[in-house]
Amino acid sequence: MTTSLHPELDLTVSRIIKAPRSAIWNAWADPASFEQWWVPAPQVCRVREMNLRPGGAFRTEISEDGGAFGPHITGCFLAIDELERIVFTDALVSGWRPAEASFLTAVITMKDHPEGTEYTATAMHRNTADRDQHEQLGFHDGWGTVIRQLAERVEQSA
């Protein structure tokens, strides 16, 4: 399945990470590792459910200051192509059940690059209002920070 980009609805960030795809995949697949980079520091992430398979639950919580945690993402994995692609949405929850509300579907791709891995994250939105809201909320800074944190984590051990 190829995802076609719709600039009027989608936001994308990309980075070359100087590590093999397997290291990045493992940072996604291990909840303890995932918690270390998934939200921009100094915020803290907690994984409540992460069943990395189509239809599997994806639920995280966030704390602004290390204190009380609140909801962050409650969703469902749509596609998992090991070492290549992860697709999740908040339009569905575990077991393909419809969610109360939805905001995005995200597509994460990992491709070999001469310097390591080309990592691309695309947030797809149902309309321009949602896309614009996500951009105004700081999509590029936030998702860019998260990818930088991921890169720092995996490049240290590469």
Side-chain angles (χ1 to χ4, degrees), residues 23-41 43-52 57-62 72-74 77 80 86 88 106 108 110 119 143 145-147 149-151 153-154:
I24 297 164
W25 185 266
N26 292 337
W28 258 95
D30 174 38
S33 176
F34 185 84
E35 289 177 340
Q36 302 302 309
W37 62 268
W38 181 242
V39 297
Q43 298 172 77
V44 179
C45 174
R46 180 166 57 192
V47 173
R48 291 313 228 169
E49 295 179 86
M50 181 182 258
N51 190 351
L52 206 57
F58 182 35
R59 189 165 64 95
T60 62
E61 295 177 335
I62 192 169
H72 182 236
I73 293 176
T74 300
F77 290 105
I80 303 295
I86 297 169
F88 67 88
I108 310 298
M110 294 163 252
Y119 182 94
W143 285 48
T145 297
V146 166
I147 293 173
Q149 291 172 171
L150 168 62
R153 182 165 185 81
V154 298

Side-chain angles (χ1 to χ4, degrees), residues 51-158:
N51 190 351
L52 206 57
R53 64 169 182 78
F58 182 35
R59 189 165 64 95
T60 62
E61 295 177 335
I62 192 169
S63 169
E64 296 292 327
D65 57 8
F69 281 83
H72 182 236
I73 293 176
T74 300
C76 176
F77 290 105
L78 300 175
I80 303 295
D81 301 317
E82 191 167 346
L83 301 176
E84 294 180 12
R85 183 177 66 138
I86 297 169
V87 182
F88 67 88
T89 187
D90 64 356
L92 300 170
V93 296
S94 178
W96 311 105
R97 301 298 309 167
E100 290 290 322
S102 67
F103 186 64
L104 64 79
T105 295
V107 180
I108 310 298
T109 60
M110 294 163 252
K111 296 179 183 173
D112 287 334
H113 184 275
E115 295 180 36
T117 302
E118 180 183 357
Y119 182 94
T120 302
T122 300
M124 301 185 304
H125 304 87
R126 69 181 157 227
N127 55 48
T128 56
D130 284 355
R131 180 210 180 273
D132 293 348
Q133 177 187 11
H134 201 180
E135 189 168 45
Q136 291 166 4
L137 287 170
F139 169 83
H140 290 97
D141 184 47
W143 285 48
T145 297
V146 166
I147 293 173
R148 178 184 50 76
Q149 291 172 171
L150 168 62
E152 289 169 355
R153 182 165 185 81
V154 298
E155 288 173 354
Q156 289 175 358
S157 49

